[in-house]
Amino acid sequence: MPAPAGPPPNPQALGRATAGNPEEQIAFSMVLEKRAGVNLGVDVTYSGAASWTRTGVFVARVFEEGLVAEWNALSQDPQRVRVGDFLFQVNDVHGDVVSMVQEMKIKQTLIIHVLRRPSMLLPSTLTPKAAPTQASRIAVLVFGGGAECGARAAGRGGPHCGYDAR
């Protein structure tokens, strides 16, 4: 059974995410229903390198387990989430990374809008190497593994989380 497609993104959100790029881009909506004991299963990273990158987060890693892995197993390319994909809207929330992440924390049903530019890979400039921003600290707690990731975000170690603290 294929994964259910979500509604289209807000035109303004899509416009900001695709701004200034003439190449063909792929956008799709991922519908996830949260369950106890199952996390989203992705690490993300934030970049302020360009105005369009400040409106969402990049997928830095997709784990073998989690809601995104389940989505990928039910989906066909190009609608499988990959490293480098840009998450630019969650439900009706867009344009504010902290609010998007908060939406992921509190809502049971998530409609996550994904953008992929064919040439988009996760460049090393998008992997935070210094202290994480407020947005990445919050993203770590949502996307990664809960309390353990919170400990790592606070500099106390722990397993996989939403940023690379190297």
Side-chain angles (χ1 to χ4, degrees):
M1 177 164 115
N10 177 289
Q12 289 179 325
L14 182 59
R16 277 194 300 268
T18 60
N21 193 325
E23 70 182 346
E24 185 178 333
Q25 299 169 64
I26 299 164
F28 62 94
S29 301
M30 173 173 51
V31 180
L32 304 174
E33 193 68 34
K34 289 171 29 181
R35 301 185 314 274
V38 181
N39 65 29
L40 289 178
V42 296
D43 280 349
V44 299
T45 189
Y46 171 81
S47 173
S51 61
W52 71 271
T53 66
R54 294 182 201 122
T55 63
V57 292
F58 288 91
V59 174
R61 182 174 177 192
V62 179
F63 291 92
E64 292 180 15
E65 295 183 8
L67 295 176
V68 172
E70 292 172 9
W71 166 270
N72 283 349
L74 294 173
S75 300
Q76 299 208 5
D77 280 329
Q79 296 183 332
R80 288 184 175 139
V81 178
R82 308 178 186 168
V83 169
D85 284 352
F86 186 65
L87 311 181
F88 66 93
Q89 182 178 335
V90 178
N91 297 337
D92 292 326
V93 180
H94 57 89
D96 179 350
V97 173
V98 174
S99 296
M100 288 170 49
V101 172
Q102 186 64 25
E103 185 80 358
M104 287 185 263
K105 288 172 69 173
I106 62 174
K107 298 294 180 167
Q108 185 67 27
T109 301
L110 300 174
I111 302 169
I112 301 175
H113 298 276
V114 181
L115 176 73
R116 178 178 310 130
R117 295 178 175 182
S119 64
M120 191 174 1
L121 298 174
L122 187 64
S124 61
T125 58
L126 296 178
T127 304
K129 293 185 176 22
T133 65
Q134 175 69 13
S136 66
R137 285 177 190 253
I138 292 171
V140 164
L141 298 174
V142 172
F143 290 98
E148 295 85 4
C149 283
R152 181 164 171 187
R156 297 190 304 269
H160 65 83
C161 296
Y163 70 97
D164 184 351
R166 286 181 278 172

